[in-house]
Each structure stands twice: as structure tokens, then as C-alpha cells.
Amino acid sequence: MKPSPSAFTTRDLLSALLVVIIWGTNFVAMKVGLRELTPFQLGAARYVFAILPLIFFVRPPKLAPKWVIAYGLSQGVGQFGLLFLSLKVGMSASLASVILQTQVFFTAIFGFMLLKEHTSRALMAGLLLAAVGLGCFATSAMQSGHAIDITPGGFVLCLAGAAMWAVSNIVVRRAQKETPNFDVISFIVWCGAVPIIPFVLLSLAFDDPTTRWTWMAAPPVTWVAVAYIGWISTIAGYAMWTRLLKRHPVNRVAPFSLGVPVVGIASGMLMLGDTIGAWQWAGTALIVAALICTMFGGRWLDRQA
């Protein structure tokens, strides 16, 4: 008997778990890439790898160019540019994987302000928990004892990256709403071409001139990390995630994203030797609790009612 569209097959479950692993370890790859490349160089390299060679085989998306440009700038230069800067100036891979998940709450706030979307009691409770969790991270960032793992600048930049991720989510929603037969893969590939030139220009404007050509002498491990970020995390990860969203309701797929910070913390500690202090563990627990409350709190409240 053929499974219903809402039933998770073994292949679906393995795909979801693989995406969680890919996106969780993605932060380690970013840290490795930043050992030899500047944040702007890594940004340009990431998207060169992401679009090649697919851009020669995938047709341009059939939608207004403004959505391609808006998404490319907000998700590419905004989210990842700020994230790479954060990881460079003072943010561990482990903690970045947690703080970046606050994009869920920024998306909800922007959705309410710009799209007039409904705000539930579960979401409000989640926002409150997340705010307290961010307060814990801010406290940790202000303590000199944790300066290696998280600094005020790194914390603010990572949080700004999460906000820009939320902006890109709003752009996608608007683009999907205005475009029949929205092709996600075509959209992702062609949007990936947008950030390359801005990243190159930012590198020329702000990077130390002595670092502009150091990428040519980067060791193989650097390019393996870039390929992982560009091909595996961006193309393969989003393709598998999109396939799951097409086959199953969002509320069945979204909870798997809770595993990303778990994998991110574990991989950062095991591969990079990240250390996490008491305030950081408290902030992590609160943000994860906020995500759980947002995803499952509505069902619990409905049952109570």
C-alpha cells in the first residue's frame, strides 16, 4: 500500500536527519574556512561554489527580478555576511548554531508587522523565553572570562544575521505569494549569483590589502570547507528540506530543525574544542525551550481548551 503524503517514509526520515547533521556541522566548516579567508572572501567563495555548475543547467526562475535581488542581498550579504563576521570577531561555532535559530522569532515579529500575520499565545510565550535566553548570552558576552567564545561584537553580529535571515524568509513568502508554480531550486541557484559581486566589492573596500590574494595559497582543507558550505549545505541541504516541505505539512517538518543547535553544539565541542559556560548553557536551554514552545505550545493549549 502506498503511504499517504503525510506519512514519513524511511527515506524521508533519513533525509530530515541528514539535513539536521549537514546544517549543524555547517558552522564548523565556516570556522575552518575563516582560518585562511576573510569573511567577505568566504562569502564570495561560498556563492561561487553554490551556483557552479548548476547555474548553467537550471533555468532562471519565472518571477520578478526584484525578489531574486532582495533575497540574494538579505540572505547572502545580510545573513551570511554578518554571520561570517560574527564567527571571525568573537563567536564560537557551537553558540552561533543556537543564536541563529532566533530567526524563528524575528520572522514572526516581521510577519506580524509587515504581513499582518496572526500572533498566537504560544508564540508570545516563546518570544519571552527567547528574550530571557538572549539576555543570558548578552551577560556572557560582557564577561571577559568568555571573550574567546563569545564577545559583545560577535553576539550582536550573529543576532543581526538571524534578523536578516528572517528578512529573507519574508522575501520568500512574498515571492511565493505572487508567483504561481514557484520553483525553489531555480530560485536558490539564481539568487546565489547576487551576493558574489557585493562580497568582492566589500573585500576590496574593507579587507587588509595584504590579505586580498592570500586565498590563492589557502590549503586544501579550506576549499573542502567552502565546497561543503556551498554545495552540501546550500544546494543539497535546501533541496532535501524543500522536498520534505512539498511532501509533508510544515508542522511535521519544522520540528526537525530543533536538532540543528544540538548537532552544532556537539560538533563544535568535538571538532573545534568549543567550551560553553554556565550563562551560555542557560541561554541555550531557554532558546531551545522557546522553539519547542512555539512549535508545540499551540497544540497543548488547544487540548487544554
Side-chain angles (χ1 to χ4, degrees):
M1 182 177 178
K2 187 178 180 180
S4 65
S6 61
F8 261 73
T9 64
T10 301
R11 180 184 176 184
D12 291 335
L13 181 59
L14 290 176
S15 294
L17 294 176
L18 184 57
V19 171
V20 169
I21 293 172
I22 289 172
W23 285 350
T25 55
N26 186 45
F27 296 91
V28 172
M30 293 177 190
K31 272 288 192 179
V32 172
L34 287 169
R35 290 173 180 172
E36 300 293 335
L37 305 178
T38 69
F40 299 136
Q41 289 172 343
L42 181 59
R46 174 190 192 272
Y47 284 101
V48 168
F49 273 70
I51 69 172
L52 294 178
L54 287 178
I55 200 166
F56 296 114
F57 303 98
V58 177
R59 293 182 178 180
K62 296 180 180 179
L63 76 172
K66 66 179 181 180
W67 299 122
V68 175
I69 296 172
Y71 186 81
L73 293 178
S74 59
Q75 192 253 11
V77 181
Q79 177 192 340
F80 284 100
L82 291 168
L83 175 59
F84 293 162
L85 284 170
S86 169
L87 291 169
K88 190 70 173 182
V89 305
M91 176 60 65
S92 68
S94 299
L95 299 179
S97 68
V98 177
I99 295 175
L100 207 64
Q101 294 305 312
T102 58
Q103 60 87 14
V104 172
F105 308 107
F106 282 115
T107 301
I109 293 171
F110 295 158
F112 173 76
M113 295 173 58
L114 301 175
L115 305 180
K116 308 301 181 183
E117 294 182 346
H118 174 68
T119 303
S120 65
R121 288 184 295 167
L123 175 59
M124 295 301 294
L127 286 170
L128 180 60
L129 286 171
V132 178
L134 290 175
C136 292
F137 281 114
T139 300
S140 175
M142 298 302 293
Q143 295 178 350
S144 58
H146 297 295
I148 295 177
D149 297 315
I150 180 172
T151 63
F155 172 71
V156 171
L157 286 168
C158 192
L159 199 60
M164 290 306 300
W165 186 355
V167 171
S168 71
N169 289 339
I170 299 298
V171 172
V172 170
R173 290 184 185 180
R174 293 288 302 274
Q176 289 177 322
K177 186 177 180 180
E178 296 186 11
T179 308
N181 301 319
F182 182 80
D183 187 340
V184 176
I185 298 300
S186 174
F187 183 74
I188 292 173
V189 171
W190 281 87
C191 286
V194 175
I196 296 174
I197 292 179
F199 271 129
V200 171
L201 294 177
L202 286 169
S203 179
L204 292 174
F206 296 105
D207 285 346
D208 189 322
T210 60
T211 67
R212 288 178 184 171
W213 298 101
T214 54
W215 59 271
M216 297 184 67
V221 67
T222 300
W223 298 112
V224 171
V226 174
Y228 187 86
I229 297 168
W231 288 335
I232 307 301
S233 175
T234 304
I235 302 301
Y238 277 102
M240 287 188 288
W241 191 255
T242 301
R243 175 181 174 276
L244 290 171
L245 290 174
K246 285 184 176 180
R247 285 174 51 83
H248 307 285
V250 174
N251 60 5
R252 294 202 63 195
V253 177
F256 282 97
S257 65
L258 291 171
V260 173
V262 176
V263 175
I265 291 172
S267 61
M269 296 178 72
L270 291 173
M271 299 179 187
L272 301 177
D274 289 349
T275 58
I276 300 180
W279 280 110
Q280 297 163 0
W281 277 121
T284 299
L286 285 164
I287 288 179
V288 171
L291 291 169
I292 293 173
C293 179
T294 302
M295 291 181 179
F296 303 109
R299 301 180 194 175
W300 182 82
L301 290 172
D302 289 342
R303 286 198 297 267
Q304 295 301 309

